[in-house]
Amino acid sequence: MANYRRLWTILLVVLGITFAVLGYFGREVYRVAPPIPAQVVTEGGTLLTTKDGILDGQTAWQSVGGMQLGSVWGHGAYQAPDWTADWLHRELLAWLELAAQDEFGTAYDNLEEEQQAVLQHRLKKEYRFNSYDAEADVLVVSERRARAMADTAAYYDQLFSDDPALRSTRQSFAMKENTLPSAERRADLNNFFFWTAWAAATERPGGEATYTNNWPHEPLIDNKPTAENIVWSLVSVVLLIAGVGGLIWAWAFLRKEEEHEPAAPARDPLTTFKLTPSQKALGKYVFLVVALFTFQVLLGGATAHYTVEGQHFYGIELSKWFPYSLVRTWHIQSALFWIATGFLAAGLFLAPIINGGKDPKFQKLGVDVLFWALVAVVVGSFVGNYLAIAQIMPEHLNFWLGHQGYEYVDLGRLWQIGKFIGIVLWLVLMLRGVVPALRQPGDKHLLALLTASCAAIGLFYGAGFFYGERTHISVMEYWRWWIVHLWVEGFFEVFATTALAFIFCSMGLVSKKMATTASLASASLFMLGGIPGTFHHLYFSGTTTPIMAVGATFSALEVVPLVVLGYEAWENWSLKNRAPWMANIKWPLMFFVAVAFWNMLGAGVLGFMINPPIALYYIQGLNTTPTHAHAALFGVYGFLALGFSLLVLRYIRPNLVFSESLMKTAFWWLNGGLVLMLFTSVLPVGVIQFIASASEGLWYARSESFMQQGLLQTLRWVRTFGDIVFIIGALAVTWQVVIGLWPRGKRAEDGVAELVSK
């Protein structure tokens, strides 16, 4: 017990300190967010836009898909441009052209190098100078800049309409025709894009860096990495090496001798409980997992194909009905839904076991209500996404019923509230089984940690309600990453670790002491880097150096515990030999082994690739990011949710024998397809873009001329091979679940397995 007390103390201290850091520097985000001026006027007093106009533009951007159509400040989709970098570069070129005509009477390209150098010096001086008057809340721009803004706005007005002159560009950017039909809203959209570019080019008062820490890389105005960027990048690398060294030292020298493994029971202890009505009702959850998984995988193939045909799917003009921004929205949202459903099912399966093998009163009713509430949220949010992007939904309803515009939190606010209520209901169902068990005598430390992780999952999703439709985008990003990073990569990680430890402990395969100790230690390690590491997503989102320092420092520590996951994979793999009955759950175990591998590679190696500020400065918004995202989201949480689902399926269908052929196909083709997808297509494209971004600027790495060159087109076509392999693996695991839930006889199962394996 003394050892537990020490571990609990460490965990609570870690949580207290790291949340204090997250909250304290969160205030910094509010305090230093780039100002949105009440008015933007010319030197002559002409009103160009207002704060309301800029925020109206933000809502217009949200309605067309927001971060699912290009990106702003580097966050979003990767096919269309980063609108901040693109607008800024176009406006700078327009200013230079106007200056050349005004002062030399000829085009900028016709000038001598010295004349161009003079204009570039004036350009940098004008654009980096902060002409915002805080007392009057007015931003003043020169007459020439106002003309450059108008020229840039005219291009965007054509691009987001159905102007035939830019049809081929829309195809290259995977934009549907007439993306934003209203000319008034297109004007507002331009105001918002201008403001994001202004913040990226203008130095903070009293500083030498822009509001976005000199991001994006733009040589025309000397936007380049700050000294602080380089310093904290080096610090993060040193901390990573030191952390890994310290962990190895502790692992080799400081850990006590592990106790002997307990003798495996002759029979699976989980089968000694009679299935309860609520557990029998979980079949529909498992089916929903694979149904949404299949839907998501097929959408992923369509999304990837849009990057080569733009508006078509093998000649069919699919964008008329299902444009890229919608398909990508559904692709990401369905992933979050099915992964969350897999986790919820695992928890609901454990609740009666924790409660001594019986259901609390009305538990099955609660499980059924939760399922249909989840279905309603999925269907409602998908329909709302469609109506918003099709510009059918009235604009005043878009944020609440349609599309919030923010990646991973795309569903309308009403559906977000519904999802939160569903998660709270799940927490209540879990607590109804857990609380009575906690009152029983004995060692309840592992159960207490499992309960705490369930509560965190239930409550921390509510962080998404701390911003609204017109909230400053810097503030919104702070709270959005509480969900995307902290909720998903933090508390779900602790829940997964603790739930697996609880399952293996309940099976009698590991001792309760070992399971508890490992879970508490892992939770401390995950939270130490994970909570303040949230800031590594905010380096260039209108924040200052302290945010960069905290994010770089702690995100390096996130990687440290991942280096020992090879040992965890081996431990999980070796469990299959502990008892003959473990053969029944061989394939769920294999999926858990894959989780450990992808945690190390996807979350660790590929995650740290984009974590240091100097790396992210050049590659934020490039295909290096989805390389990490695919490997971590599916490789870790996807395999984990599928493993949980297969485990639940095996126990609620006691007579089920997994088809060896189907499961081999599912496991190896999913892993192989993911490897092919990432390392033959997505990552090579990202590396080539990185070179372009570092040499020419982000605008160029995301531009039409660069992305449509032959080599990159070929690499995007190559992804088809990996996608097909992955899809076959997905269909195999889906079919295994279907025939497991509704068996058709051994002969039918063997026939299908043989067909898939060929």
Side-chain angles (χ1 to χ4, degrees):
M1 290 299 177
N3 186 44
Y4 291 160
R5 189 177 298 114
R6 191 161 50 247
L7 289 170
W8 274 111
T9 300
I10 292 172
L11 177 58
L12 292 174
V13 168
V14 165
L15 289 173
I17 292 175
T18 53
F19 269 111
V21 170
L22 188 66
Y24 178 81
F25 287 101
R27 292 175 65 244
E28 179 83 354
V29 174
Y30 280 83
R31 188 179 68 82
V32 302
I36 304 177
Q39 293 184 330
V40 180
V41 300
T42 66
E43 292 170 337
T46 302
L47 179 66
L48 300 178
T49 188
T50 63
K51 180 175 183 177
D52 284 339
I54 292 169
L55 292 176
D56 287 343
Q58 182 173 310
T59 63
W61 168 67
Q62 292 166 352
S63 75
V64 297
M67 291 180 177
Q68 302 296 357
L69 184 64
S71 57
V72 165
W73 287 352
H75 295 298
Y78 311 99
Q79 182 62 13
D82 178 88
W83 303 116
T84 302
D86 187 71
W87 178 288
L88 177 59
H89 188 73
R90 290 180 182 279
E91 187 185 320
L92 295 176
L93 292 181
W95 189 98
L96 288 172
E97 192 63 39
L98 290 169
Q101 293 290 348
D102 290 344
E103 300 187 28
F104 299 102
T106 187
Y108 177 76
D109 288 341
N110 295 334
L111 299 179
E112 300 290 336
E113 286 187 11
E114 290 184 2
Q115 294 172 319
Q116 290 184 344
V118 168
L119 293 185
Q120 286 185 22
H121 175 73
R122 294 177 185 171
L123 176 79
K124 174 186 171 182
K125 187 175 180 180
E126 177 171 338
Y127 272 77
R128 294 188 70 90
F129 174 72
N130 195 330
S131 57
Y132 170 68
D133 184 337
E135 289 188 8
D137 200 12
V138 173
L139 171 63
V140 181
V141 300
S142 68
E143 300 293 342
R144 181 179 292 162
R145 182 168 186 175
R147 290 159 59 199
M149 291 163 55
D151 288 348
T152 308
Y155 165 81
Y156 274 84
D157 186 71
Q158 288 181 293
L159 181 64
F160 280 83
S161 68
D162 55 359
D163 192 311
L166 292 181
R167 180 177 175 83
S168 64
T169 301
R170 284 190 290 274
Q171 289 177 341
S172 298
F173 293 160
M175 296 173 62
K176 72 184 184 77
E177 293 299 303
N178 220 11
T179 302
L180 190 57
S182 167
E184 181 181 354
R185 300 199 79 198
R186 290 199 298 271
D188 291 333
L189 181 70
N190 289 334
N191 292 330
F192 174 64
F193 287 162
F194 155 74
W195 174 80
T196 67
W198 171 81
T202 303
E203 293 180 356
R204 286 183 180 276
E208 296 182 354
T210 70
Y211 285 105
T212 57
N213 282 315
N214 282 358
W215 186 94
H217 181 216
E218 177 51 80
L220 284 176
I221 55 171
D222 211 20
N223 258 15
K224 61 185 181 181
T226 62
E228 293 85 356
N229 183 310
I230 298 170
V231 167
W232 288 107
S233 297
L234 292 174
V235 168
S236 72
V237 174
V238 171
L239 282 173
L240 173 63
I241 297 171
V244 171
L247 186 62
I248 293 173
W249 177 275
W251 188 266
F253 296 102
L254 302 180
R255 67 184 178 127
K256 298 178 180 179
E257 281 295 318
E258 294 179 352
E259 60 184 66
H260 293 293
E261 295 174 336
R267 180 184 174 189
D268 184 351
L270 296 187
T271 62
T272 61
F273 296 97
K274 182 180 179 181
L275 284 172
T276 67
S278 73
Q279 289 176 318
K280 293 177 182 178
L282 293 176
K284 53 182 172 285
Y285 281 78
V286 177
F287 176 73
L288 183 62
V289 168
V290 294
L292 283 174
F293 175 46
T294 303
F295 180 65
Q296 186 236 341
V297 169
L298 295 177
L299 286 175
T303 304
H305 191 78
Y306 266 135
T307 66
V308 292
E309 278 201 82
Q311 295 178 336
H312 297 79
F313 186 79
Y314 293 102
I316 302 171
E317 195 172 350
L318 194 64
S319 64
K320 283 185 177 180
W321 308 281
F322 304 105
Y324 172 86
S325 55
L326 176 65
V327 173
R328 192 175 188 272
T329 297
W330 284 351
H331 174 64
I332 292 177
Q333 284 301 304
S334 55
L336 297 180
F337 279 127
W338 73 258
I339 290 172
T341 302
F343 278 63
L344 300 185
L348 293 173
F349 175 76
L350 289 176
I353 296 174
I354 296 169
N355 196 41
K358 58 183 182 295
D359 275 341
K361 196 174 182 180
F362 302 120
Q363 184 79 352
K364 180 183 182 298
L365 176 62
V367 169
D368 290 339
V369 169
L370 175 60
F371 174 80
W372 291 112
L374 179 61
V375 170
V377 169
V378 172
V379 174
S381 64
F382 281 12
V383 171
N385 294 153
Y386 175 85
L387 295 176
I389 291 175
Q391 296 293 295
I392 296 172
M393 181 170 288
E395 62 180 82
H396 67 281
L397 296 177
N398 175 74
F399 183 82
W400 283 91
L401 296 175
H403 201 302
Q404 288 192 37
Y406 300 128
E407 197 175 25
Y408 295 103
V409 197
D410 303 275
L411 69 176
R413 177 55 56 87
L414 180 66
W415 311 115
Q416 186 183 7
I417 293 171
K419 187 175 180 179
F420 178 70
I421 292 172
I423 294 171
V424 171
L425 174 58
W426 172 77
L427 175 60
V428 171
L429 294 173
M430 291 295 299
L431 292 177
R432 296 177 78 237
V434 169
V435 171
L438 286 172
R439 293 172 178 163
Q440 301 299 317
D443 181 357
K444 302 299 178 185
H445 290 269
L446 182 61
L447 183 57
L449 182 60
L450 179 64
T451 306
S453 66
C454 290
I457 288 174
L459 300 177
F460 272 85
Y461 184 73
F465 301 132
F466 284 91
Y467 65 85
E469 181 177 10
R470 298 169 75 85
T471 297
H472 192 294
I473 192 170
S474 296
V475 173
M476 179 283 302
E477 284 284 48
Y478 172 68
W479 291 112
R480 183 174 77 95
W481 287 110
W482 270 60
I483 297 177
V484 182
H485 178 94
L486 186 57
W487 187 63
V488 175
E489 298 183 36
F491 294 114
F492 264 115
E493 187 88 53
V494 174
F495 171 79
T497 301
T498 310
L500 282 176
F502 189 89
I503 290 170
F504 293 147
C505 177
S506 300
M507 289 178 173
L509 300 173
V510 296
S511 69
K512 181 170 287 188
K513 180 180 178 182
M514 186 184 299
T516 305
T517 301
S519 297
L520 283 169
S522 297
S524 295
L525 285 172
F526 286 135
M527 295 293 97
L528 177 63
I531 293 174
T534 304
F535 285 127
H536 83 257
H537 299 283
L538 302 177
Y539 294 153
F540 312 117
S541 297
T543 58
T544 50
T545 299
I547 300 296
M548 182 181 294
V550 173
T553 300
F554 285 93
S555 64
L557 298 178
E558 284 185 86
V559 183
V560 171
L562 303 181
V563 300
V564 298
L565 287 178
Y567 182 78
E568 180 183 315
W570 168 253
E571 283 188 322
N572 290 343
W573 168 256
S574 63
L575 287 175
K576 67 183 179 62
N577 299 319
R578 293 292 315 283
W581 50 264
M582 284 296 292
N584 295 330
I585 58 170
K586 167 191 170 183
W587 286 108
L589 275 180
M590 289 292 288
F591 277 67
F592 298 148
V593 170
V595 170
F597 170 78
W598 285 105
N599 224 334
M600 179 275 296
L601 180 61
V605 176
L606 297 176
F608 190 74
M609 174 182 72
I610 64 173
N611 272 6
I614 190 63
L616 200 59
Y617 179 84
Y618 289 110
I619 62 180
Q620 179 161 289
L622 305 184
N623 277 271
T624 44
T625 301
T627 302
H628 158 63
H630 281 83
L633 185 59
F634 177 77
V636 179
Y637 298 102
F639 270 119
L640 190 57
L642 290 175
F644 278 148
S645 299
L646 291 171
L647 195 67
V648 171
L649 174 64
R650 176 64 189 81
Y651 284 110
I652 66 174
R653 295 293 186 269
N655 298 322
L656 170 65
V657 177
F658 288 120
S659 165
E660 199 70 10
S661 298
L662 270 178
M663 292 312 300
K664 281 183 178 178
T665 302
F667 182 80
W668 292 111
W669 287 56
L670 283 173
N671 279 283
L674 186 57
V675 168
L676 287 173
M677 181 194 314
L678 298 181
F679 295 105
T680 67
S681 179
V682 183
L683 183 58
V685 170
V687 171
I688 295 171
Q689 284 184 296
F690 162 59
I691 296 171
S693 176
S695 59
E696 299 289 338
L698 178 67
W699 68 271
Y700 179 62
R702 293 279 295 271
S703 66
E704 178 183 10
S705 60
F706 182 79
M707 291 300 293
Q708 296 305 312
Q709 60 181 300
L711 175 59
L712 293 183
Q713 281 281 68
T714 300
L715 286 172
R716 291 200 294 274
W717 272 109
V718 166
R719 178 174 169 174
T720 304
F721 296 105
D723 285 350
I724 290 173
V725 171
F726 191 89
I727 288 170
I728 292 172
L731 293 176
V733 73
T734 298
W735 187 244
Q736 174 64 87
V737 169
V738 170
I739 63 177
L741 290 170
W742 296 284
R744 302 180 181 181
K746 189 176 188 310
R747 182 176 301 176
E749 180 179 331
D750 289 345
V752 172
E754 182 180 354
L755 178 64
V756 174
S757 65
K758 288 183 178 179

